[in-house]
Amino acid sequence: MGTGFGSVDEYIASFPAEVRAALEEVRRTVHAAVPGAGEKISYQIPTITFDGKSLLYFSGWKAHIAIYPVPPVDDDLSAALDPYRSGKGTLKFPLAKPIPYNLISRLAKAFVEAR
């Protein structure tokens, strides 16, 4: 993975096919859940923006996809996210298992609601 990415497309293109496909699907899922969302590179990773402010970040790794931070969520969503929690504000979705894109959609909506 290189540094100094100029766009989310450039960031995603820097990964092997399996990771790239998962990143593209996370991107599509979040944009579908948050109409009007924008995107940029911040902290050298893809950042979804909403109303001009950073909403959430996502990144690719060799064995997982990560989403940061975790917004305040209700008890049901919190329980659903528990298996993916890694530290205080990070969710890790292993590439060796099916990624729960429906859960990522719920999470993206929770980010908007938390604003």
Side-chain angles (χ1 to χ4, degrees):
M1 181 172 67
T3 60
F5 300 107
S7 68
V8 174
D9 287 329
E10 194 177 307
Y11 176 90
I12 291 172
S14 74
F15 286 90
E18 178 185 58
V19 180
R20 196 168 49 243
L23 288 169
E24 285 287 4
E25 190 58 31
V26 166
R27 183 188 201 184
R28 279 191 292 273
T29 297
V30 172
H31 278 284
V34 184
E39 60 185 32
K40 65 181 181 178
I41 293 290
S42 182
Y43 301 106
Q44 289 306 307
I45 60 174
T47 305
I48 301 298
T49 61
F50 187 70
D51 287 340
K53 296 181 181 175
S54 297
L55 186 66
L56 68 90
Y57 304 84
F58 66 97
S59 62
W61 300 88
K62 184 177 182 179
H64 69 275
I65 300 297
I67 295 179
Y68 331 79
V70 179
V73 294
D74 63 36
D75 290 343
D76 289 339
L77 184 52
S78 182
L81 293 173
D82 279 346
Y84 305 101
R85 290 186 189 270
S86 176
K88 184 178 177 181
T90 301
L91 298 171
K92 290 183 179 178
F93 299 94
L95 293 170
K97 298 180 180 179
I99 295 176
Y101 295 107
N102 61 333
L103 184 59
I104 293 171
S105 178
R106 289 175 59 200
L107 179 66
K109 291 174 185 176
F111 273 103
V112 174
E113 292 169 8
R115 293 198 153 257

